[in-house]
Amino acid sequence: MASLDLFAGENNDVTRFSERAYLLHGYVERDANAILEQLREVIKQSPLRQFVTPGGGKMSVRTSSCGDFGWITDRKGYRYTDTDTITGEPWPAMPAELKELAETAAKECGFESFSPNACLINVYHPGAAMGLHQDKDESDFSQPIVSFSLGLPATFLWGGLKRGGSPHKITLQHGDVLVWGGPDRLRYHGVKKLADGQHPLTGNVRVNLTFRVR
Ligand SMILES: O=C(O)CCC(=O)C(=O)O
Ligand SMILES: [Mn+2]
């Protein structure tokens, strides 16, 4: 297995772990309180829920969305909608500060024109995980994915462009941001089962936000 250090970037705060995939260490740590406050408001309007996949399994992660579009899944498939299927209302607006932070992170990694219109909120309790998958329900793969991690640490799995093989493991800490795009945009990725723990800001959960152009 190739060492991730192979791609280590020039800047200590950024690790480039694939051709166009970057870990911005602690990038949103200072903003964590404000981000979580905004999320609490979003979740009041569109509550967290456990989706059922097309295969009929219940996802272990609890999910909501904000922005013009929200990502959903049910027996009919994975897709984006412009209304929350629970409330029947439009998804809550994407807080401007969050959008700006995501755009600045993308710029930091050379993705100049990123303007996300969907933000998927994933809340992991201990034992929750996300299997290896591609983010491929979007229409413009020239746009990156920007992902914030808050609260409990997690092991992120970074695979190839095809299923199979053993993925690299990347530890994501509170405040870390991942950006991936270009030739890495359709990489398989996932999250290992969350270990028990307590975090001063989130208690026993990990919160993940992924900003996307739907
Ligand atoms: O929780 C994470 O770090 C990744 C989430 C993810 O891949 C997704 O929501 O599609
Ligand atoms: Mn994903």
Side-chain angles (χ1 to χ4, degrees), residues 12-29:
N12 267 346
D13 295 325
V14 181
T15 303
R16 184 160 70 96
F17 56 92
S18 274
E19 196 177 337
R20 292 302 305 278
Y22 310 83
L23 167 51
L24 282 62
H25 300 272
Y27 193 77
V28 293
E29 196 178 348

Side-chain angles (χ1 to χ4, degrees), residues 85-204:
T85 48
I86 288 185
T87 65
E89 298 290 327
W91 294 100
M94 190 186 303
E97 296 90 325
L98 267 58
K99 182 168 191 279
E100 200 176 319
L101 275 172
E103 289 173 357
T104 312
K107 274 205 187 75
E108 200 80 43
C109 303
F111 296 102
E112 298 293 334
S113 64
F114 184 60
S115 178
N117 56 12
C119 170
L120 175 60
I121 303 159
N122 291 134
V123 175
Y124 297 73
H125 286 78
M130 193 173 287
L132 285 170
H133 66 278
Q134 294 170 296
D135 291 350
K136 59 176 184 189
D137 303 319
E138 299 74 31
S139 51
D140 182 0
F141 297 137
S142 73
Q143 293 298 328
I145 299 286
V146 174
S147 166
F148 295 0
S149 289
L150 297 167
L152 291 180
T155 303
F156 187 75
L157 302 170
W158 183 247
L161 292 168
K162 296 206 169 99
R163 224 176 240 299
S166 61
H168 293 294
K169 294 185 176 70
I170 298 168
T171 302
L172 295 180
Q173 305 283 358
H174 173 70
D176 285 352
V177 172
L178 286 183
V179 178
W180 69 91
D184 293 316
R185 176 62 180 73
L186 289 172
R187 288 267 196 167
Y188 277 86
H189 59 279
V191 176
K192 274 185 75 168
K193 210 182 253 203
L194 198 82
D196 251 319
Q198 280 293 326
H199 188 277
L201 293 192
T202 64
N204 71 334

Side-chain angles (χ1 to χ4, degrees), residues 25-36:
H25 300 272
Y27 193 77
V28 293
E29 196 178 348
R30 272 188 326 181
D31 302 291
N33 258 320
I35 295 169
L36 290 166

